[in-house]
Amino acid sequence: MRSTYPTFGRVLVTGASGFLGGELVRRLVADGAQVSIVVRAGSRLDHLADLLPRVDVCFHDGSTQQLIALMRKVAPDVVCHLASCFIAEHQSDQVDNLIDSNLRFPTQLLEAMTMAGCLRLVNTGTSWQHFETPAYRPVNLYAATKQAFEDMLSYYADARNLSSITLKLYDTYGPGDQRRKLLRLLMDAPNVRKALDMSPGEQRVDLVHSTDVVEAFVVACRRLLGEQAVLRESYLVSGEALTLRELVLLLSQVGVKVKVNWGARPYRVREVMHPISAEGLGLPGWSASISLIDGLRELAERHGGKAA
Amino acid sequence: MRSTYPTFGRVLVTGASGFLGGELVRRLVADGAQVSIVVRAGSRLDHLADLLPRVDVCFHDGSTQQLIALMRKVAPDVVCHLASCFIAEHQSDQVDNLIDSNLRFPTQLLEAMTMAGCLRLVNTGTSWQHFETPAYRPVNLYAATKQAFEDMLSYYADARNLSSITLKLYDTYGPGDQRRKLLRLLMDAPNVRKALDMSPGEQRVDLVHSTDVVEAFVVACRRLLGEQAVLRESYLVSGEALTLRELVLLLSQVGVKVKVNWGARPYRVREVMHPISAEGLGLPGWSASISLIDGLRELAERHGGKAA
């Protein structure tokens, strides 16, 4: 199932300080690619400490000009853009963060790439750009910034021949994931020994293991490298969908017994009850290979080991 | 042809320091509306000097929070957003300006409006969002930011019931226009007494008089105010289209004789040869009322008077 590397020497990754970005760097290094990462001064890279001797760490000062210089120096064959500011329900004072992280920086990245002649990008979108419809309808402002960025991409594709694949992710999980997300909350619940107050739990979630997500980025890189024409593609990276109640049931099967007060909380405003179907919209040559039950078992074992 | 004001008391205008924004403020004040303008510290308002006693000038410090407070104080019935950073062919160091002016500030504006319960917006787009096709295809990065902003608008429309009409403008002109645009260059040419080096001149331009553009904003305001449902509309504001060569011919008919070296320069990269047709996509209840020949005659007279 693992893809082998063809000819690409150097991959530049943004968002390496995050969980998925870090996992991608780990995979690329393990496979022998030359990896550069672009981070801001002060970004935490503890999770990559063991890899740092083999990774080229580039600091971005926030300007377009410096990013151009950096891109010219690195000259990556392909850029994987995973840096993002994720906010499910934003507060007014977070508008600037969302614009800066999800529009300013990535537009600077497109400008730098095209000025430096680096014309292949794997971009990260979200299934939340499609609130219960295949058309564009953003769940939240975060998803709107992701869609808005694709409009910026269109310009660089058309005017400067930038080739891109956007991978729209659903929910992701994996061992080592420190993000304060639902699954982590559920895994930690048994230690708390108190019933969790939750929504009625009929909303479906679509979960993909980080190893599979990373594989999708690698497949997308290869696809860009194997194609001479300018690509402007977008795919959904979907795993297994089930309701929250079903997820809690599945967890109990791997030994994680969570007591939940279903309905003690209301659904979130604009709760996604049915993530859109990825049928016919998946990345060619990729499918999730880790079943949810196996993924959860792995989590439970690691978690148990950690607690011991 | 002039629309009369129905019930709206207060209109908030952004971009009043620009030509069209200033003209809109002048019209609204003349018609008896209460007008507030949002400007940055240091914005030039000389062209509105005679009106300032009757206009509420609000300074924005750049933050979302202060814009919310300001919006709550003003509580406009409708907001006309004309502030924009226009760059035909951007340089790398202008990316930040484009993002700040055309995405950050207007998104802050949407956040402030919806937090303050002001739910009617007339937004300004550009025909350049449609490079020789009715679909989205940006002529330049400026047009891409305009499209990207509409994606942000979608969120506020859907999640917070913001009602909006986007007016996509073509080329605009009028007396008092100090912008360094083509028509101004042509008007000034006879004084220079040297032939102008230009492209072959077969590209078509679509010109709308500022008085007509201002009327379109007023019609859009009334449309928003007369409708209870949430609108999410977009219209093209088109005038008369003709080639550059024909425009120079028309100018000679009103006494402005311009000597041009046609073809001495190449066309611009991504020159718009045929602006898209507005047929069937015009704002209901509006059409251009000032013919190009009349508009040019007015310009020539004013220009002559000024030169004398």
Side-chain angles (χ1 to χ4, degrees):
Chain A
M1 185 67 214
R2 282 246 164 160
S3 44
T4 51
Y5 286 86
T7 49
F8 64 102
R10 189 167 284 281
V11 186
L12 185 144
V13 178
T14 75
S17 61
F19 172 60
L20 291 175
E23 292 294 293
L24 178 59
V25 168
R26 191 166 294 280
R27 161 74 189 271
L28 291 168
V29 168
D31 285 5
Q34 290 179 283
V35 181
S36 294
I37 64 177
V38 173
V39 295
R40 286 175 292 194
S43 288
R44 298 200 61 163
L45 296 172
D46 321 23
H47 59 310
L48 296 177
D50 57 315
L51 294 177
L52 287 185
R54 285 182 285 164
V55 170
D56 171 37
V57 181
C58 308
F59 292 95
H60 178 217
D61 72 3
S63 76
T64 307
Q65 293 300 342
Q66 188 251 356
L67 199 55
I68 294 172
L70 191 158
M71 200 65 71
R72 287 193 171 127
K73 186 174 68 77
V74 174
D77 298 293
V78 57
V79 172
C80 292
H81 171 54
L82 288 88
S84 182
C85 169
F86 169 75
I87 299 169
E89 297 177 283
H90 79 276
Q91 300 295 312
S92 294
D93 60 3
Q94 294 172 315
V95 168
D96 278 14
N97 285 347
L98 284 168
I99 300 277
D100 277 341
S101 301
N102 302 344
L103 283 164
R104 177 200 300 277
F105 170 67
T107 303
Q108 292 178 334
L109 189 70
L110 300 183
E111 180 73 19
M113 287 177 66
T114 53
M115 291 305 282
C118 306
L119 299 177
R120 296 186 195 93
L121 173 74
V122 184
N123 177 41
T124 311
T126 169
S127 64
W128 283 358
Q129 289 166 247
H130 308 278
F131 189 16
E132 314 219 335
T133 165
Y136 167 56
R137 185 184 173 204
V139 170
N140 46 25
L141 195 60
Y142 161 75
T145 61
K146 287 293 187 180
Q147 183 79 13
F149 177 62
E150 289 197 49
D151 287 335
M152 308 303 282
L153 249 181
S154 288
Y155 167 73
Y156 287 96
D158 196 49
R160 299 191 181 173
N161 296 322
L162 184 85
S163 203
S164 70
I165 295 176
T166 296
L167 299 179
K168 294 181 178 171
L169 307 184
Y170 291 78
D171 218 344
T172 55
Y173 74 100
D177 191 350
Q178 298 299 314
R179 295 174 295 176
R180 301 177 57 81
K181 295 180 74 170
L182 173 75
L183 201 50
R184 191 172 151 76
L185 192 73
L186 292 171
M187 298 298 296
D188 287 341
N191 302 331
V192 180
R193 300 187 177 285
K194 209 179 89 176
L196 266 183
D197 286 345
M198 297 197 72
S199 71
E202 298 296 345
Q203 70 273 44
R204 292 173 79 79
V205 290
D206 186 313
L207 287 156
V208 190
H209 193 281
S210 55
T211 299
D212 280 326
V213 176
V214 161
E215 173 70 14
F217 277 88
V218 170
V219 169
C221 285
R222 287 171 51 203
R223 186 173 171 86
L224 285 170
L225 289 161
E227 180 63 55
Q228 289 304 308
V230 173
L231 298 183
R232 177 84 183 77
E233 299 181 337
S234 170
Y235 299 106
L236 290 165
V237 178
S238 163
E240 274 176 59
L242 73 180
T243 68
L244 218 51
R245 283 176 184 258
E246 291 167 340
L247 178 61
V248 167
L249 217 61
L250 212 56
L251 277 172
S252 73
Q253 290 178 29
V254 298
V256 181
K257 312 282 185 193
V258 187
K259 225 175 137 183
V260 175
N261 290 329
W262 294 113
R265 291 181 174 203
Y267 285 115
R268 179 187 281 176
V269 178
R270 297 171 77 78
E271 186 84 64
V272 177
M273 298 305 292
H274 299 90
I276 52 156
S277 163
E279 214 180 305
L281 301 171
L283 175 65
W286 177 89
S287 63
S289 67
I290 300 176
S291 69
L292 187 51
I293 188 80
D294 285 347
L296 293 180
R297 188 173 294 119
E298 177 195 24
L299 276 197
E301 281 161 10
R302 298 268 188 121
H303 204 269
K306 203 172 184 178
Chain B
M1 185 66 214
R2 282 245 164 163
S3 44
T4 52
Y5 284 87
T7 48
F8 64 104
R10 190 167 284 282
V11 185
L12 186 144
V13 178
T14 75
S17 60
F19 172 60
L20 291 175
E23 292 294 292
L24 178 60
V25 168
R26 191 167 293 281
R27 161 76 188 270
L28 291 167
V29 169
D31 285 6
Q34 291 180 282
V35 180
S36 294
I37 64 177
V38 173
V39 295
R40 285 175 293 192
S43 289
R44 298 201 61 164
L45 297 171
D46 322 22
H47 60 309
L48 296 177
D50 57 315
L51 294 177
L52 287 186
R54 286 183 285 166
V55 170
D56 171 36
V57 181
C58 308
F59 292 95
H60 179 217
D61 72 2
S63 76
T64 307
Q65 292 300 343
Q66 188 250 357
L67 199 56
I68 294 172
L70 191 158
M71 200 64 72
R72 287 193 171 127
K73 185 174 70 75
V74 174
D77 297 294
V78 58
V79 172
C80 291
H81 171 54
L82 287 88
S84 183
C85 169
F86 169 75
I87 299 168
E89 295 178 283
H90 79 277
Q91 300 295 312
S92 294
D93 60 3
Q94 294 172 315
V95 168
D96 277 15
N97 286 347
L98 284 167
I99 299 276
D100 277 342
S101 302
N102 302 345
L103 283 164
R104 177 200 300 277
F105 170 68
T107 303
Q108 292 179 334
L109 189 70
L110 299 182
E111 181 73 20
M113 287 177 65
T114 53
M115 291 305 281
C118 306
L119 299 178
R120 295 185 194 93
L121 174 74
V122 185
N123 177 42
T124 311
T126 169
S127 65
W128 283 358
Q129 289 166 245
H130 308 278
F131 189 16
E132 315 220 335
T133 166
Y136 167 57
R137 186 184 172 205
V139 170
N140 47 24
L141 195 61
Y142 161 76
T145 62
K146 288 292 186 180
Q147 182 79 14
F149 177 62
E150 289 196 49
D151 287 335
M152 307 303 282
L153 248 182
S154 287
Y155 167 73
Y156 287 97
D158 196 50
R160 298 190 181 175
N161 297 322
L162 184 86
S163 203
S164 69
I165 294 175
T166 295
L167 298 179
K168 293 180 178 172
L169 307 184
Y170 291 77
D171 218 344
T172 54
Y173 73 100
D177 192 350
Q178 298 300 313
R179 296 174 295 177
R180 300 176 58 80
K181 294 180 75 171
L182 172 75
L183 201 49
R184 190 172 152 77
L185 193 73
L186 291 172
M187 299 297 296
D188 286 342
N191 302 331
V192 180
R193 299 189 177 285
K194 207 179 89 176
L196 267 182
D197 286 346
M198 298 197 70
S199 70
E202 298 297 344
Q203 70 272 45
R204 293 173 78 79
V205 291
D206 186 313
L207 287 156
V208 190
H209 193 281
S210 55
T211 299
D212 280 327
V213 177
V214 161
E215 172 71 12
F217 277 88
V218 169
V219 169
C221 285
R222 286 171 53 204
R223 186 173 172 86
L224 284 171
L225 289 161
E227 180 63 54
Q228 289 305 307
V230 174
L231 299 183
R232 178 83 184 77
E233 298 181 338
S234 170
Y235 298 106
L236 291 165
V237 177
S238 162
E240 273 175 60
L242 73 180
T243 67
L244 218 51
R245 283 175 183 257
E246 291 167 341
L247 177 62
V248 167
L249 217 61
L250 212 57
L251 276 173
S252 72
Q253 291 178 30
V254 298
V256 181
K257 313 281 185 193
V258 187
K259 224 174 138 185
V260 176
N261 290 331
W262 295 112
R265 291 181 174 205
Y267 285 116
R268 181 187 279 175
V269 177
R270 297 172 78 78
E271 185 84 65
V272 177
M273 298 305 293
H274 299 91
I276 52 156
S277 163
E279 214 180 306
L281 301 171
L283 175 65
W286 177 88
S287 63
S289 67
I290 300 175
S291 69
L292 187 52
I293 188 80
D294 285 348
L296 294 180
R297 189 173 292 117
E298 177 195 24
L299 277 197
E301 281 162 10
R302 297 271 188 119
H303 204 268
K306 204 173 184 177

